[in-house]
Amino acid sequence: MNNIIFLDLKKINSQYEYELKEACSRVIDSGWYIMGKELTEFEAEFASYCNTKHCIGVANGLDALILVLRAWKELGLLNDGDEVIVPANTYIASILAISENGLKPVLCEPNIDTYNLDAQGIKKCITSKTKAILPVHIYGTISPMDEICQLAKDHNLLILEDCAQSHGAEIAGVKAGAWGDASGFSFYPGKNLGALGDAGAITTNDDKLADILVALRNYGSHKKYENLYQGVNSRLDEIQAAMLRVKIKYLADETILRQKIAEYYLSKINNPLVTLPNYQERNRHVWHLFVLRCKERSRLQSYLSENGIQTLIHYPIPPHKQKAYQEFNDYVLPLTEQIHREILSIPISPVMETAEIDCVVNIINNFR
């Protein structure tokens, strides 16, 4: 019987066991556990990786988005009630960040092929109250940022990239996290660059924004006991920063492995009952998830489970149908609803064996 789990985090991290334990010991032995050398070094390394001037480590990906919007309010660039365009099919965190700041989420239908926002869809949602766009590079493929940035420039809109799933994805050599006015990243353990706990970061080229963010994450303070803003406690721990410093060294190689698996899936899965992802040029997609669609998803998922293949649904309920956002429950968003009704994520990870990959392909192709 097959036993192909969706994502074997233990196996992924065991590759770097010695380095991770050494990094942990280094932090323990330092006697400094918050806002120290490891964080400073990781921020520099990740900013360099994204080719941005600044990286600000925070506690998680949601806080990264919340704090950028909050900082723009401190700068007077956003005000209560302003509209922020966001894809309707995103994980709810993207929307929570908007409403948490007293802003209005405007749910925009995505492109059915890429699952991301595109300029055509965004245009339909722009009003006189629109002040920002929050493109989510979902599943690991970067949104068409060249088009989105031009649209934002034409309408004087801010761009906050949600890069929680897109570490390293790029267009024309420009990585996710370097296109917008600011970007939020998650390093949740299951991400392509995952910590061993919650962690996140913000990237930006805006010096003034970065200065405010550094304070906001630390009780609104640059200097202890002197508080410029009503901030929060959202600091990336030294131990998590040290873990990330180990794992960022292997991110490029792991991305290549994910891309090779995805290419194999795309070339070998040929079941007419299954809709495969719309393949973009290689570096544009880092395959955090390999998401296919099937009109008989429940039956396909049960079939795969019976054959020892674990799958997940990202995500079963769209945000506008969640109880948390009852004000959106009557919205009719047919593309979003189709996506959430049909999508199924199959295993993809840098530690999958060739036999496991072949097994996934063969079993999907035999689905009738």
Side-chain angles (χ1 to χ4, degrees):
M1 177 66 176
N2 301 308
N3 183 28
I4 303 174
I5 66 174
F6 184 77
L7 182 65
D8 193 338
L9 285 178
K10 183 176 179 180
K11 190 173 182 181
I12 289 172
N13 289 321
S14 67
Q15 301 173 103
Y16 318 122
E17 179 180 4
Y18 173 79
E19 289 181 81
L20 290 169
K21 289 180 177 178
E22 190 279 331
C24 188
S25 295
R26 187 171 68 239
V27 174
I28 293 169
D29 293 344
S30 75
W32 194 284
Y33 309 122
I34 300 286
M35 304 274 285
K37 180 181 177 183
E38 299 293 340
L39 175 59
T40 300
E41 292 293 330
F42 173 70
E43 288 175 331
E45 290 162 6
F46 195 67
S48 176
Y49 175 80
C50 295
N51 196 25
T52 57
K53 289 177 68 176
H54 304 283
C55 169
I56 301 97
V58 294
N60 54 68
L62 174 56
D63 281 0
L65 300 176
I66 288 173
L67 290 174
V68 171
L69 295 171
R70 170 73 182 282
W72 281 337
K73 291 185 76 175
E74 293 286 355
L75 286 165
L77 300 176
L78 293 176
N79 296 288
D80 286 351
D82 285 345
E83 294 179 352
V84 180
I85 295 172
V86 62
N89 62 312
T90 187
Y91 181 56
I92 201 167
S94 312
I95 299 169
L96 289 170
I98 299 168
S99 54
E100 176 70 16
N101 278 287
L103 306 167
K104 182 181 178 181
V106 175
L107 306 184
C108 182
E109 288 267 66
N111 182 298
I112 190 63
D113 293 321
T114 66
Y115 309 117
N116 281 334
L117 291 182
D118 59 22
Q120 184 177 357
I122 293 170
K123 282 179 185 177
K124 297 175 183 177
C125 295
I126 294 174
T127 73
S128 60
K129 295 182 178 180
T130 306
K131 293 296 184 290
I133 306 169
L134 202 163
V136 181
H137 310 317
I138 202 163
Y139 308 148
T141 184
I142 188 170
S143 308
M145 292 307 299
D146 41 1
E147 299 172 12
I148 293 173
C149 287
Q150 184 58 55
L151 184 63
K153 183 178 179 181
D154 293 343
H155 293 270
N156 194 29
L157 304 176
L158 296 162
I159 295 178
L160 170 55
E161 294 177 75
D162 184 336
C163 301
Q165 300 184 5
S166 60
H167 314 71
E170 62 182 59
I171 300 173
V174 181
K175 285 189 172 69
W179 285 91
D181 298 286
S183 305
F185 285 86
S186 168
F187 305 120
Y188 182 78
K191 304 299 185 184
N192 289 22
L193 177 58
L196 273 68
D198 270 323
I202 299 159
T203 57
T204 184
N205 289 315
D206 185 329
D207 295 342
K208 194 168 185 179
L209 177 66
D211 186 65
I212 293 175
L213 287 165
V214 167
L216 283 177
R217 72 172 176 187
N218 186 42
Y219 300 99
S221 172
H222 288 116
K223 184 178 180 181
K224 197 168 186 177
Y225 304 130
E226 294 183 13
N227 304 84
L228 300 176
Y229 312 100
Q230 295 177 22
V232 298
N233 176 13
S234 182
R235 301 174 297 202
L236 176 56
D237 290 341
E238 280 289 279
I239 281 185
Q240 296 305 336
M243 302 294 104
L244 289 165
R245 290 189 65 204
V246 171
K247 296 186 71 178
I248 195 173
K249 295 184 294 184
Y250 303 101
L251 179 57
D253 289 340
E254 289 195 353
T255 297
I256 290 170
L257 291 173
R258 287 177 178 274
Q259 290 170 334
K260 287 181 177 178
I261 295 169
E263 288 169 359
Y264 190 79
Y265 280 162
L266 290 164
S267 66
K268 298 296 183 180
I269 296 174
N270 55 22
N271 191 320
L273 298 177
V274 167
T275 300
L276 295 173
N278 184 31
Y279 186 67
Q280 307 270 355
E281 57 266 28
R282 185 180 181 114
N283 290 333
R284 190 162 179 164
H285 209 318
V286 294
W287 301 101
H288 171 59
L289 299 171
F290 191 98
V291 180
L292 48 79
R293 295 205 317 271
C294 181
K295 294 186 185 300
E296 298 183 70
R297 178 181 67 190
S298 180
R299 194 165 69 84
L300 174 59
Q301 187 172 37
S302 295
Y303 165 79
L304 290 171
S305 178
E306 290 164 4
N307 283 276
I309 299 172
Q310 183 187 26
T311 60
L312 296 176
I313 300 171
H314 297 89
Y315 305 96
I317 305 172
H320 72 284
K321 296 299 184 184
Q322 298 281 0
K323 187 175 180 180
Y325 284 102
Q326 294 183 55
E327 64 269 34
F328 301 147
N329 286 176
D330 293 332
Y331 282 17
V332 178
L333 298 166
L335 292 181
T336 295
E337 288 161 23
Q338 179 187 352
I339 289 167
H340 286 263
R341 187 171 60 246
E342 296 181 356
I343 53 174
L344 186 67
S345 301
I346 64 175
I348 185 168
S349 87
V351 294
M352 285 185 75
E353 304 288 343
T354 300
E356 293 177 318
I357 300 164
D358 281 330
C359 179
V360 172
V361 169
N362 292 333
I363 290 174
I364 291 176
N365 283 341
N366 288 329
F367 175 68
R368 295 291 182 267

